[in-house]
Amino acid sequence: MASLTGKTLFITGASRGIGRAIALKAAADGANVAIASKTSDPHPKLVGTIHSVAREIEEAGGRALALEVDVREETEIAAAVAKAAEAFGGIDILINNASALFLARTPDTPMKRFDLMHQVNVRGTFATTQACHPHLKQAANPHVLVLSPPLTLEPDWFADHCAYTMSKYGMSMCVLGMAREFAADGIGVNALWPSTMIETAATKAMGVPQAGCRKTDIMADAAYAILTRDARACTGNFFIDQAVLEQEGITDFEPYAVVPGTPLERDLFVA
């Protein structure tokens, strides 16, 4: 069975939530994980730092490198990627997980929030992939996984949070273009999105109802299944977490917890 033993993962936004869950899943195989996130010091409202996750990775059996990085700054990205490659002898996998969230209709979206989402979500994904590309080209089974949705141009996905959806679709457009662009390099580029809302610090901070949310484990399990596939044969896909596990014959994942009056992912478009 394929595993992530000895592989090096560079994960943005890994100090909490889905990024942390993927990091710990890989660490259980003995993987090397570069935690590229802004939170170096404890946050008053959000649990987790690059250092706390580094300790968890090492306790789980992996090797960790804590890197304080703002993905809006390409110089910080470049420096972090260079440190990770030097520390672990290369980079095999990039997880573009870092994302800014602000759910509001157009009249209620301050332009600073619009700018933040596009700088972190779209620009950060593009810049980090660009910086990792030379190292991924040298890897045996290189993958780029982006936490973004399928490109379905339906007005309902945009109507209540146009700015946020535009930024997430920008990440998905990176997948669409880079999968074709990097095919000759043997780099698999795919997207992963939840079938229903995932409980994270970001959704809690935004006041999104947590009833009916799934835990981050299902996303980590789905990511693991994708990242252990042949990158040349697995690229350009827009995966949904539950569908990935069902393809793998895994059926013991957390079921939907449908609570009347609360939104599911298909209704709210949040991860």
Side-chain angles (χ1 to χ4, degrees), residues 231-249:
R232 289 186 177 276
C234 179
T235 190
N237 300 289
F238 291 86
F239 289 113
I240 300 298
D241 57 358
Q242 180 168 320
V244 172
L245 297 189
E246 289 172 346
Q247 289 172 5
E248 298 289 318

Side-chain angles (χ1 to χ4, degrees), residues 60-141:
R63 297 169 64 201
L65 179 64
L67 298 165
E68 185 177 357
V69 180
D70 184 341
V71 297
R72 294 173 294 179
E73 302 294 337
E74 65 265 32
T75 54
E76 293 187 21
I77 295 170
V81 168
K83 288 179 182 177
E86 181 179 3
F88 299 126
I91 295 173
D92 299 282
I93 294 166
L94 166 63
I95 309 292
N96 283 305
N97 168 72
S99 188
L101 170 70
F102 187 78
L103 300 175
R105 296 170 69 87
T106 299
D108 302 317
T109 301
M111 287 311 299
K112 68 177 183 179
R113 292 289 186 176
F114 180 99
D115 291 341
L116 176 65
M117 287 189 286
H118 284 76
Q119 288 166 356
V120 172
N121 302 356
V122 187
R123 192 178 192 277
T125 293
F126 188 95
T128 307
T129 308
Q130 184 184 70
C132 286
H133 179 257
H135 303 287
L136 293 169
K137 283 178 63 176
Q138 304 303 315
N141 190 43

Side-chain angles (χ1 to χ4, degrees), residues 14-176:
S15 60
R16 59 181 65 91
I18 295 169
R20 169 184 170 272
I22 294 173
L24 295 181
K25 180 76 176 180
D29 273 2
N32 311 312
V33 184
I35 310 146
S37 303
K38 279 186 66 178
T39 309
S40 178
D41 299 320
H43 191 282
K45 295 182 179 180
L46 303 175
V47 177
T49 69
I50 56 176
H51 305 294
S52 66
V53 175
R55 289 191 294 271
E56 290 181 290
I57 288 168
E58 290 171 351
E59 289 168 1
R63 297 169 64 201
L65 179 64
L67 298 165
E68 185 177 357
V69 180
D70 184 341
V71 297
R72 294 173 294 179
E73 302 294 337
E74 65 265 32
T75 54
E76 293 187 21
I77 295 170
V81 168
K83 288 179 182 177
E86 181 179 3
F88 299 126
I91 295 173
D92 299 282
I93 294 166
L94 166 63
I95 309 292
N96 283 305
N97 168 72
S99 188
L101 170 70
F102 187 78
L103 300 175
R105 296 170 69 87
T106 299
D108 302 317
T109 301
M111 287 311 299
K112 68 177 183 179
R113 292 289 186 176
F114 180 99
D115 291 341
L116 176 65
M117 287 189 286
H118 284 76
Q119 288 166 356
V120 172
N121 302 356
V122 187
R123 192 178 192 277
T125 293
F126 188 95
T128 307
T129 308
Q130 184 184 70
C132 286
H133 179 257
H135 303 287
L136 293 169
K137 283 178 63 176
Q138 304 303 315
N141 190 43
H143 282 271
V144 175
L145 186 63
V146 182
L147 278 293
S148 65
L151 285 167
T152 304
L153 295 179
E154 297 181 5
D156 286 350
W157 291 126
F158 294 82
D160 292 328
H161 30 71
C162 185
Y164 173 69
T165 303
M166 288 169 63
S167 71
K168 295 302 290 188
Y169 270 37
M171 296 172 72
S172 298
M173 291 174 74
C174 287
V175 172
L176 187 69

